[in-house]
Amino acid sequence: MALLDFLVSIFGATMLLLFAVRLVQNSIERVKGPEFRRLLTQTRSPYRGAAVGFVLAILLQSSAAVAVLTSGFSVGGALSAATGLAIILGADLGSAIVVRMLSLDLHWLAPILLGIGGWLYLKFSARNIRQVGGILLGIALIIVALGMLRATIEPLQSSDLLPAIESSLAADPVLAFVLGAVLAFVMHSSVAAILMFGVAVSAGALSLDVGIVLVLGANLGGALVPLWITRTMPIEARRAVTLNVVLRGLTAATFALIFARGWLAKIDFAQIGLIGIHVYFNAVLLIYLPFVGLVAKLATRLMPEQLHNQNSERSMLERSLLDEQALKSASTTIISLRREVVRVTQLTEQMTKEVLTWFTMGTAPDAELLKRDARLVHNAGQAIRQYVTRISAEKLSKSEFKRMRDLADYALSLEAAADIVVQRLLNVVETCRNEKLRFSDNGRKEIQSIAEQLLQNMSKSYDLLVTDDVEAARELFRDKDELGALVGRSRKRHLMRLKDGLETSVATSELHLECLSAMKELNARTVANAYPILKREGQLLQSRLILEG
């Protein structure tokens, strides 16, 4: 019974720790996601890249999250493998600093953070304030989870179980190294795993020697997490995370071997502490920074880009997924229709990214390709409407009929979105390029922020089409309103600049306002799939008007 209580307690504390780390990470991403994209994609120097990665890992409380973001931005050449590796090396050190800060005795801070965080999250409707509340709640829950772990592990010092485990791991450093890697990988968080090891060592449940080998293994396991998450991404997205696994794994294994052989016996590791050793190890890894370019060139040769995959992917997007045979049953009809709408969503998202790249990175879009994609979206929309008319209403239940209608309506919204991209946003880009016009510095930054938020909303909208998650729909609806507020503030600031007679604002005034209007409408069209989900669950008011009387 005592063993069962221990297992239940350790499982609950570990899950709470993982949940808390994820809560902090997600809340910060929702508040600062677009700024992270800009920071990463504008980084070129490996040293600046390491600094950016260091800061982002501290904010996100996870080097794996930074590595996955880096991989996403590496697709299409926005980030080179060398810069990506530098960012990840810096992020690993930032993650180690996070572990150091969280390992401090902060039990007195938990009630304060819970109170303030809960108040902000429950009493305010503004998205950013609620997310700040989520961040504070997450940090408080991390402190609570560590306290639970400590309280669970401390009584084991007098048991017979841990000495047996301790002696096995001490006698077999390879087993300890592999166990550390496996635990960090399974938990999908090296931060949580190393904090757990730190608690075990500080409670006397594990010796420092075993803890050091476990931590070195956890460094490898943490590097394997982003490699696993990005396994289906294109080869250029996986180069940096693969290089990180190789460098980190070889270095960690070498350190573990040197330590196990007793070649570092003169160093007083007790003075440094387990978490301090983790920080120093990640600082040592920065010696690879001057060589990231050379290592990346070698990786490019060993992992060449497979061009045919891109062409094949493109070809798949251009092919209709409507299945004539699926019309025989209601369930297969809905599945076929959903797959086709997902394809149209991907096409529309691809078009939007192409044109908004000019606003975020200054890269000129391919006008002919955009117009071709717009025709594909229109053809697909027409095919969807014809497909829907061939479905026998008697075969569909009321809920299935509503789902079919919602998918057809969303396809219509995507057609309108494609028109906005080609007829309005592309026109703004081409006018600016042909007439050599440029927005004012403040105006450009405002449009850039709105474009980044729009891309983030589109990605969430695509996920929602697959998941039908109510909470995700609520979040997307709030994000839609947040983008509308950004547009409103930009309009107001633009008019103030016109009033002050700023020359660049006067010259591009019409284009600036047209761009804001197009982005707001494009956002509304692409997140329209949140409405039927919220309406179905009774999460929407009938009217925003104040009732009379």
Side-chain angles (χ1 to χ4, degrees), residues 329-331 333-335 337 385 387-410 532 536:
S329 75
S331 59
T333 298
I334 297 294
I335 291 170
L337 193 58
R385 288 190 292 276
Y387 190 78
V388 166
T389 60
R390 297 172 59 193
I391 300 172
S392 175
E394 290 93 8
K395 292 182 179 179
L396 300 173
S397 66
K398 188 175 180 181
S399 62
E400 288 170 336
F401 180 80
K402 284 183 177 179
R403 184 58 182 146
M404 179 193 71
R405 184 189 61 195
D406 292 340
L407 288 169
D409 287 345
Y410 187 55
R536 184 179 68 224

Side-chain angles (χ1 to χ4, degrees), residues 309-322 339-340 342-348 350-351 366 368-381 383:
N309 283 352
Q310 188 176 358
N311 295 332
S312 174
E313 217 172 274
R314 175 83 198 170
S315 176
M316 286 295 295
L317 278 181
E318 295 177 0
R319 192 181 308 157
S320 175
L321 297 177
L322 294 173
R339 287 172 60 197
E340 178 66 357
V342 167
R343 181 182 75 90
V344 178
T345 305
Q346 287 178 296
L347 270 171
T348 310
Q350 187 171 277
M351 289 176 62
D366 186 334
E368 290 304 315
L369 184 63
L370 283 171
K371 291 172 183 175
R372 180 186 171 191
D373 284 347
R375 287 193 295 271
L376 288 172
V377 171
H378 279 286
N379 292 340

